[in-house]
């Protein structure tokens, strides 16, 4: 909301979901956000919105009637996928990128994580080109054979943006998926993740909703080794400590536990091979609720999608599932920092967030066959969501 309050000229938003109105008590944040967007349209502020073509949203229709420009992306036609990107650009100066979409559940029920940059026009320029790429597909049923030079990446893994973030010397670039959406000089998300893991010297901490190294079609499922293999390489060949924090929810694929067991087995009798996995379960309190009770509640979920190491961080829109990267549209952000001891460093802040969740009562080792102990379940409020804030001008960031 703070970003929208700062808007004076333009607001560009990409989101996979657009459902901000609901009678549920926790929907108030979404309703306020919708009202703010409506207010901005009446103030002659240019509003441009991008959504997946499958979204049937009264919110988008209402904003369109008020003058907002809405682009629908047909990811099914382009790549048999869907739009999962989530980022905001305000006045071509400020940006948010993270896991939260324009959905009241995302804002009021889910545990999300994102990063905000204030006064960072150079990074915004690069992200603006991804937004322009999406907009260029309006009314098109296929992706062009060659992209316009105006959509080429400004920075990538070979040519990173040099900047100061909260008085910490940093490098940054944005990545994109699928590969079909990567014009010249635009890093593919997988390559961006590789660069972060390869640069790690001590540890790699990964927090995702789902971990499933499988690529699926309507007729078969195949092993997708891209990220699973990179983790094994870091563990065995470079002795990098790996921690995986995965959400446990009703859609968790049972094969997740098989792949986790396989990862753990690779460290058997290998010195300095350290892998630990925990499952983050925000629904544990409802494990013993009756069906009627569950039907009247909305699921809570940890939807973080990031990785942090001793020298870099990756914040994206995808879970670590094969189809997400090969078929869906999403955007990632990589930040490298040499000084990670500064309390305002993104590396320090993200590491603190990860460890807070890792040691919280919601995170636990999980045995899929074990029945919950209903008499011993705890009752307490979940930890608050976290948005990391940065000011590229070096001044203190505004509150969020």
């Amino acid at each position: 909301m703070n970003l929208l309050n700062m808007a004076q000229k333009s607001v560009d938003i990409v989101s996979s979901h657009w459902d901000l109105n609901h009678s549920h008590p926790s929907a108030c944040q979404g309703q306020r956000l919708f009202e703010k967007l409506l207010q901005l349209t009446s103030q002659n502020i240019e509003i441009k919105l991008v959504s997946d073509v499958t979204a049937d949203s009264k919110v988008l229709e209402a904003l369109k009637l008020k003058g907002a420009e809405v682009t629908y992306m047909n990811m099914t036609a382009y790549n048999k996928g869907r739009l999962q990107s989530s980022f905001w650009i305000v006045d071509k100066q400020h940006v948010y990128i993270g896991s939260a979409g324009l959905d009241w559940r995302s804002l009021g029920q889910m545990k999300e994580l994102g990063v905000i940059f204030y006064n960072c026009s150079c990074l915004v320029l690069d992200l603006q080109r991804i937004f322009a790429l999406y907009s260029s597909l309006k009314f098109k049923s296929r992706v062009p054979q060659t992209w316009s030079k105006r959509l080429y990446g400004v920075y990538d893994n070979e040519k990173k943006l040099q900047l100061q973030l909260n008085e910490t010397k940093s490098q940054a670039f944005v990545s994109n998926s699928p590969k079909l959406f990567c014009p010249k000089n635009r890093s593919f998300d997988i390559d961006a993740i590789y660069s972060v893991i390869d640069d790690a010297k001590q540890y790699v901490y990964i927090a995702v909703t789902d971990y499933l190294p499988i690529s699926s079609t309507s007729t078969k499922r195949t092993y997708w080794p891209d990220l699973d293999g990179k983790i094994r390489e870091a563990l065995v060949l470079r002795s990098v400590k790996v921690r995986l924090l995965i959400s446990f929810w009703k859609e968790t694929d049972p094969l997740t536990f098989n792949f986790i067991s396989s990862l753990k087995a690779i460290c058997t009798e290998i010195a300095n091979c350290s892998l630990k996995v925990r499952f983050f379960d925000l629904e544990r309190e409802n494990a013993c609720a009756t069906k009627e009770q569950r039907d009247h509640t909305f699921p809570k979920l940890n939807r973080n999608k990031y990785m942090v190491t001793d020298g870099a961080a990756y914040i994206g829109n995808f879970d670590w599932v094969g189809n997400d990267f090969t078929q869906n549209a999403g955007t990632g952000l990589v930040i490298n920092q040499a000084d990670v001891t500064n309390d305002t460093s993104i590396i320090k802040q993200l590491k603190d967030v990860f460890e807070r969740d890792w040691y919280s009562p919601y995170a636990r080792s999980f045995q899929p066959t074990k029945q919950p102990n209903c008499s011993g379940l705890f009752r307490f409020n979940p930890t608050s969501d976290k948005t990391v804030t940065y000011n590229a001008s070096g001044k203190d960031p505004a509150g969020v």
Side-chain angles (χ1 to χ4, degrees):
M1 184 65 77
N2 191 58
L3 278 180
L4 295 185
N5 289 334
M6 297 174 67
Q8 296 180 352
K9 297 179 180 179
S10 63
V11 173
D12 301 334
I13 300 177
V14 180
S15 177
S16 56
H17 295 88
W18 294 86
D19 184 10
L20 296 173
N21 286 321
H22 198 277
S23 59
H24 194 276
S26 64
C28 58
Q29 293 185 69
Q31 291 166 351
R32 286 199 296 268
L33 187 58
F34 179 45
E35 291 167 1
K36 183 62 180 180
L37 287 170
L38 287 173
Q39 179 187 338
L40 292 178
T41 60
S42 67
Q43 296 174 350
N44 295 322
I45 293 176
E46 185 180 54
I47 308 291
K48 294 183 179 181
L49 313 172
V50 174
S51 170
D52 194 272
V53 72
T54 58
D56 181 15
S57 171
K58 294 180 180 179
V59 167
L60 285 175
E61 290 302 316
L63 290 170
K64 189 175 181 180
L65 287 173
K66 292 293 185 178
E69 180 183 323
V70 180
T71 297
Y72 293 96
M73 286 180 60
N74 189 358
M75 283 302 299
T76 303
Y78 305 146
N79 206 42
K80 297 181 180 179
R82 54 195 172 90
L83 177 70
Q84 284 187 239
S85 296
S86 179
F87 62 85
W88 303 19
I89 300 171
V90 174
D91 291 343
K92 295 179 172 55
Q93 290 289 326
H94 322 297
V95 62
Y96 161 85
I97 182 170
S99 60
L102 270 290
D103 180 87
W104 70 267
R105 298 175 189 82
S106 182
L107 299 172
Q109 292 281 117
M110 306 300 181
K111 181 175 171 298
E112 311 276 5
L113 184 137
V115 58
I116 295 176
F117 288 85
Y118 294 112
N119 306 312
C120 193
S121 57
C122 292
L123 187 65
V124 168
L125 172 64
D126 207 16
L127 196 58
Q128 191 80 50
R129 295 198 176 189
I130 294 179
F131 188 91
L133 184 149
Y134 293 164
S135 299
S136 73
L137 295 171
K138 190 173 185 178
F139 305 125
K140 294 181 180 178
S141 59
R142 65 180 63 183
V143 173
Q145 291 185 344
T146 58
W147 295 103
S148 166
K149 291 183 179 180
R150 292 177 296 177
L151 303 177
Y152 286 5
V154 181
Y155 306 102
D156 60 14
N157 188 38
E158 301 299 322
K159 180 188 174 184
K160 300 175 183 177
L161 171 64
Q162 310 288 326
L163 72 168
Q164 291 284 122
L165 297 178
N166 288 5
E167 301 179 351
T168 301
K169 187 176 180 180
S170 309
Q171 297 177 317
F173 67 94
V174 291
S175 55
N176 207 25
S177 288
K179 210 159 193 177
L180 187 67
F181 282 14
C182 291
K184 187 177 179 180
N185 300 330
R186 175 67 65 212
S187 293
F188 180 38
D189 271 311
I190 293 296
D191 295 330
I193 292 173
Y194 280 5
S195 72
V196 173
I197 295 178
D198 287 342
D199 287 345
K201 302 295 189 297
Q202 301 173 25
Y203 65 85
V204 174
Y205 293 168
I206 302 163
V208 289
T209 305
D210 292 310
Y211 182 86
L212 188 66
I214 282 180
S215 182
S216 304
T217 66
S218 58
T219 57
K220 66 176 181 178
R221 307 176 88 185
T222 56
Y223 175 55
W224 184 72
D226 294 37
L227 297 180
D228 193 65
K230 180 59 69 171
I231 291 175
R232 294 169 189 266
E233 177 186 301
L235 284 167
V236 176
L237 302 183
R238 297 193 292 116
S239 300
V240 175
K241 180 174 70 174
V242 176
R243 300 291 180 262
L244 266 171
L245 186 61
I246 305 168
S247 295
F248 177 70
W249 61 307
K250 64 179 182 178
E251 299 296 332
T252 298
D253 193 302
L255 278 176
T256 296
F257 303 104
N258 297 75
F259 283 110
I260 293 305
S261 296
S262 175
L263 275 174
K264 287 183 175 180
I266 202 171
C267 281
T268 303
E269 297 183 10
I270 298 179
N272 300 318
C273 185
S274 176
L275 170 74
K276 291 185 179 179
V277 181
R278 290 188 176 181
F279 290 86
F280 201 89
D281 184 7
L282 284 175
E283 283 291 284
R284 190 180 179 190
E285 296 175 6
N286 295 327
C288 301
T290 65
K291 183 180 183 302
E292 182 179 2
Q293 290 172 326
R294 288 194 296 267
D295 288 343
H296 286 83
T297 60
F298 289 91
K300 299 175 182 177
L301 182 63
N302 182 26
R303 289 185 2 110
N304 292 175
K305 306 174 196 304
Y306 70 92
M307 169 176 57
V308 60
T309 74
D310 46 281
Y314 169 85
I315 300 171
N317 301 142
F318 289 149
D319 291 311
W320 286 26
V321 178
N323 287 58
D324 280 16
F325 291 93
T326 58
Q327 292 181 280
N328 299 338
T331 303
L333 170 70
V334 173
I335 299 173
N336 297 83
Q337 293 182 322
D339 181 9
V340 299
T341 59
N342 187 338
D343 285 341
T344 60
S345 158
I346 186 172
I347 308 301
K348 176 71 165 58
Q349 291 191 52
L350 279 178
K351 182 172 183 283
D352 289 346
V353 170
F354 184 91
E355 291 180 339
R356 177 202 66 184
D357 292 346
W358 181 265
Y359 293 108
S360 82
Y362 287 103
R364 57 199 175 102
S365 300
F366 188 76
Q367 298 176 14
T369 58
K370 187 175 181 179
Q371 295 298 316
N373 178 8
C374 299
S375 62
L377 290 177
F378 44 81
R379 302 286 177 184
F380 58 92
N381 296 322
T383 52
S384 60
D385 294 353
K386 181 80 173 181
T387 301
V388 186
T389 310
Y390 294 93
N391 190 320
S393 66
K395 300 176 182 178
D396 291 334
V400 295

